[in-house]
Amino acid sequence: MSSSATDEKQSVLDGFKAFLMRGNVIDLAVAVVIGAAFTNVVNSVVKGVINPLVGAFGTKDLDRYSSCLKGPCKTNEAGDVVSGVPIMWGTVLSATLTFLITAAVVYFLMVLPMSRYLARKAARDKQAEVEHAEAEASEVELLREIRDVLVAQRGGPAPAGQADGGAESGPAPTER
């Protein structure tokens, strides 16, 4: 094997290692693992709480809600359709409830608190910026006063452009 092929393999491996060690790839992997665990919790809530509540008005298992599109629908002991065309709308309803519960939990427990936190942080940052600007303006005014006192002690005239904050543009004119 030539050295350029070895260098190319080494650079590909280094690039792959750098890709895996990026923060966003690790964050994504953690999110997938947490998401899978969260899906199990939501599925348990739907099957253990929501389905029985819906079952109070019908069958406990939402997957059993169906309509027959064509002919009498018959299933065998394994649950496979033998005749007819069933529309399994209970399965769709169960999946929709699972999605809505997941979306609500993600929004109310993750998105909403994070957006409130970011809004408070932005307000604090803006307030700190305003306070810093005010402190800077106060400092500049204090420095101007010190400059004016020092000029007055030397017996010279007040600097030109004092009202607009400009600096003295040249030597002070002498009185005759």
Side-chain angles (χ1 to χ4, degrees), residues 9-28:
K9 280 187 178 182
Q10 188 66 22
S11 66
V12 168
L13 290 176
D14 288 341
F16 184 66
K17 181 180 176 185
F19 171 74
L20 290 178
M21 293 301 153
R22 280 189 202 153
N24 54 0
V25 173
I26 307 267
D27 292 342
L28 182 61

Side-chain angles (χ1 to χ4, degrees), residues 58-154:
T59 180
K60 182 179 176 184
D61 187 9
L62 286 179
D63 292 338
R64 292 185 184 220
Y65 283 110
S66 64
S67 299
C68 193
L69 186 63
K70 182 178 178 184
C73 292
K74 295 180 184 175
T75 57
N76 60 16
E77 293 171 9
D80 298 328
V81 176
V82 178
S83 67
V85 179
I87 304 292
M88 307 300 288
W89 58 270
T91 305
V92 175
L93 179 63
S94 179
T96 302
L97 288 173
T98 301
F99 171 76
L100 290 175
I101 291 170
T102 304
V105 168
V106 166
Y107 179 76
F108 289 112
L109 294 182
M110 294 177 201
V111 173
L112 190 61
M114 183 56 92
S115 65
R116 286 183 179 169
Y117 167 75
L118 291 175
R120 283 194 309 263
K121 185 176 184 296
R124 279 193 312 264
D125 290 348
K126 185 176 181 180
Q127 181 64 26
E129 187 177 306
V130 167
E131 289 173 1
H132 179 71
E134 289 173 356
E136 219 173 74
S138 173
E139 186 177 315
V140 168
E141 184 61 33
L142 179 63
L143 289 172
R144 285 185 184 146
E145 289 175 12
I146 292 170
R147 177 196 63 198
D148 293 345
V149 168
L150 289 173
V151 168
Q153 284 178 352
R154 279 195 274 161

Side-chain angles (χ1 to χ4, degrees), residues 28-44:
L28 182 61
V30 169
V32 167
V33 170
I34 295 295
F38 185 68
T39 299
N40 288 335
V41 170
V42 171
N43 287 337
S44 297

